[in-house]
Short mmCIF file of all heavy atoms in Angstrom, two decimals:
data_model
loop_
_atom_site.label_atom_id
_atom_site.label_comp_id
_atom_site.label_asym_id
_atom_site.label_seq_id
_atom_site.Cartn_x
_atom_site.Cartn_y
_atom_site.Cartn_z
N ALA A 158 0.55 -6.11 -8.81
CA ALA A 158 1.20 -5.41 -7.64
C ALA A 158 2.63 -4.92 -8.21
O ALA A 158 3.34 -5.55 -8.96
CB ALA A 158 1.48 -6.30 -6.51
N ARG A 160 6.01 -4.07 -6.41
CA ARG A 160 6.64 -4.45 -5.18
C ARG A 160 8.07 -4.11 -5.09
O ARG A 160 8.75 -4.04 -6.14
CB ARG A 160 6.35 -5.92 -4.84
CG ARG A 160 4.86 -6.24 -4.54
CD ARG A 160 4.77 -7.79 -4.28
NE ARG A 160 3.43 -8.11 -3.84
CZ ARG A 160 2.89 -9.35 -3.61
NH1 ARG A 160 3.80 -10.36 -3.93
NH2 ARG A 160 1.71 -9.58 -3.22
N PRO A 164 8.87 -11.81 -5.72
CA PRO A 164 7.65 -12.71 -5.38
C PRO A 164 8.12 -14.00 -4.95
O PRO A 164 9.11 -14.63 -5.65
CB PRO A 164 6.86 -12.67 -6.69
CG PRO A 164 7.78 -12.30 -7.79
CD PRO A 164 8.79 -11.32 -7.17
N VAL A 170 3.30 -14.60 -11.45
CA VAL A 170 4.40 -14.30 -12.37
C VAL A 170 4.92 -12.87 -12.08
O VAL A 170 4.18 -12.02 -11.68
CB VAL A 170 3.88 -14.36 -13.81
CG1 VAL A 170 3.44 -15.90 -14.14
CG2 VAL A 170 2.64 -13.54 -13.99
N GLY A 171 6.21 -12.73 -12.27
CA GLY A 171 6.78 -11.40 -11.90
C GLY A 171 7.93 -11.05 -12.88
O GLY A 171 8.62 -11.88 -13.48
N ARG A 172 8.07 -9.74 -13.10
CA ARG A 172 9.19 -9.25 -13.95
C ARG A 172 9.99 -8.23 -13.05
O ARG A 172 9.46 -7.28 -12.37
CB ARG A 172 8.63 -8.39 -15.14
CG ARG A 172 8.03 -9.42 -16.19
CD ARG A 172 9.12 -10.11 -16.97
NE ARG A 172 9.93 -9.01 -17.77
CZ ARG A 172 9.57 -8.49 -18.90
NH1 ARG A 172 8.48 -8.97 -19.48
NH2 ARG A 172 10.40 -7.62 -19.49
N ARG A 173 11.20 -8.39 -12.96
CA ARG A 173 12.17 -7.57 -12.21
C ARG A 173 12.43 -6.26 -13.08
O ARG A 173 12.83 -6.43 -14.20
CB ARG A 173 13.42 -8.31 -11.89
CG ARG A 173 14.43 -7.46 -11.19
CD ARG A 173 15.76 -8.17 -10.85
NE ARG A 173 16.64 -7.43 -10.04
CZ ARG A 173 17.51 -6.56 -10.57
NH1 ARG A 173 17.55 -6.32 -11.79
NH2 ARG A 173 18.34 -5.92 -9.63
N ILE A 174 12.12 -5.15 -12.49
CA ILE A 174 12.23 -3.88 -13.22
C ILE A 174 13.63 -3.33 -13.24
O ILE A 174 14.17 -2.82 -14.13
CB ILE A 174 11.18 -2.79 -12.74
CG1 ILE A 174 9.73 -3.47 -12.96
CG2 ILE A 174 11.32 -1.52 -13.53
CD1 ILE A 174 9.31 -3.86 -14.23
N GLY A 175 14.16 -3.39 -12.06
CA GLY A 175 15.45 -2.76 -11.77
C GLY A 175 15.63 -2.50 -10.28
O GLY A 175 14.96 -3.05 -9.45
N MET A 277 12.84 -3.65 -7.66
CA MET A 277 11.29 -3.27 -7.98
C MET A 277 10.88 -4.46 -8.94
O MET A 277 11.49 -4.83 -9.83
CB MET A 277 11.19 -1.98 -8.62
CG MET A 277 9.78 -1.64 -9.06
SD MET A 277 9.58 -0.02 -9.96
CE MET A 277 9.43 0.95 -8.39
N TRP A 278 9.64 -4.93 -8.50
CA TRP A 278 9.11 -5.94 -9.42
C TRP A 278 7.56 -5.66 -9.73
O TRP A 278 6.92 -4.92 -8.97
CB TRP A 278 9.00 -7.27 -8.51
CG TRP A 278 10.39 -8.07 -8.41
CD1 TRP A 278 11.32 -7.62 -7.50
CD2 TRP A 278 10.84 -9.13 -9.05
NE1 TRP A 278 12.42 -8.51 -7.57
CE2 TRP A 278 12.13 -9.44 -8.59
CE3 TRP A 278 10.26 -9.93 -10.07
CZ2 TRP A 278 12.83 -10.37 -9.13
CZ3 TRP A 278 11.10 -11.01 -10.49
CH2 TRP A 278 12.28 -11.22 -10.07
N VAL A 279 7.13 -6.16 -10.87
CA VAL A 279 5.71 -6.12 -11.16
C VAL A 279 5.30 -7.63 -11.16
O VAL A 279 5.83 -8.42 -11.85
CB VAL A 279 5.43 -5.45 -12.56
CG1 VAL A 279 3.97 -5.53 -12.96
CG2 VAL A 279 6.03 -4.04 -12.55
N CYS A 280 4.19 -7.87 -10.48
CA CYS A 280 3.67 -9.28 -10.27
C CYS A 280 2.18 -9.38 -10.54
O CYS A 280 1.50 -8.39 -10.30
CB CYS A 280 3.92 -9.68 -8.89
SG CYS A 280 5.57 -9.34 -8.18
N MET A 281 1.75 -10.55 -10.91
CA MET A 281 0.27 -10.81 -11.01
C MET A 281 0.10 -12.33 -10.91
O MET A 281 1.05 -13.06 -11.11
CB MET A 281 -0.31 -10.20 -12.26
CG MET A 281 0.05 -10.90 -13.60
SD MET A 281 -0.84 -10.22 -15.02
CE MET A 281 -0.22 -11.18 -16.29
N ARG A 292 -3.01 -8.23 -19.12
CA ARG A 292 -1.75 -8.36 -19.77
C ARG A 292 -1.37 -7.05 -20.34
O ARG A 292 -0.15 -6.65 -20.27
CB ARG A 292 -1.95 -9.42 -20.93
CG ARG A 292 -0.53 -9.74 -21.58
CD ARG A 292 0.28 -10.57 -20.67
NE ARG A 292 1.75 -10.36 -20.76
CZ ARG A 292 2.66 -11.17 -20.11
NH1 ARG A 292 2.29 -12.02 -19.47
NH2 ARG A 292 3.90 -10.73 -20.31
N PHE A 295 -0.06 -5.04 -17.35
CA PHE A 295 1.19 -5.70 -16.87
C PHE A 295 2.40 -5.27 -17.70
O PHE A 295 3.35 -4.69 -17.24
CB PHE A 295 1.13 -7.17 -16.80
CG PHE A 295 2.26 -7.87 -16.24
CD1 PHE A 295 2.39 -8.23 -14.89
CD2 PHE A 295 3.32 -8.32 -17.09
CE1 PHE A 295 3.42 -8.86 -14.39
CE2 PHE A 295 4.47 -8.92 -16.61
CZ PHE A 295 4.58 -9.24 -15.24
N ASP A 296 2.16 -5.34 -19.02
CA ASP A 296 3.19 -4.95 -20.03
C ASP A 296 3.41 -3.54 -19.97
O ASP A 296 4.66 -3.04 -20.10
CB ASP A 296 2.88 -5.43 -21.45
CG ASP A 296 2.81 -6.97 -21.63
OD1 ASP A 296 3.44 -7.54 -20.78
OD2 ASP A 296 2.16 -7.42 -22.51
N VAL A 299 5.49 -2.56 -16.78
CA VAL A 299 6.90 -3.15 -16.98
C VAL A 299 7.62 -2.12 -17.87
O VAL A 299 8.91 -1.82 -17.56
CB VAL A 299 6.90 -4.62 -17.61
CG1 VAL A 299 8.41 -5.00 -18.05
CG2 VAL A 299 6.41 -5.64 -16.59
N SER A 300 7.19 -1.87 -19.00
CA SER A 300 7.82 -0.91 -19.90
C SER A 300 8.06 0.45 -19.32
O SER A 300 9.14 1.07 -19.32
CB SER A 300 7.04 -0.79 -21.19
OG SER A 300 7.60 0.05 -22.12
N LEU A 302 7.84 1.62 -16.10
CA LEU A 302 8.69 1.63 -14.90
C LEU A 302 10.15 1.29 -15.33
O LEU A 302 11.04 1.89 -14.67
CB LEU A 302 8.14 0.57 -13.91
CG LEU A 302 6.90 0.94 -13.27
CD1 LEU A 302 6.39 -0.24 -12.40
CD2 LEU A 302 7.11 2.20 -12.34
N SER A 303 10.42 0.43 -16.26
CA SER A 303 11.76 0.26 -16.71
C SER A 303 12.43 1.53 -17.29
O SER A 303 13.55 1.89 -17.05
CB SER A 303 11.77 -0.89 -17.79
OG SER A 303 11.31 -2.10 -17.29
#
Side-chain angles (χ1 to χ4, degrees):
R160 291 179 174 172
V170 293
R172 286 284 297 277
R173 183 182 182 276
I174 304 302
M277 177 180 280
W278 288 77
V279 177
C280 314
M281 73 175 178
R292 191 72 215 187
F295 185 91
D296 291 344
V299 168
S300 175
L302 288 170
S303 297

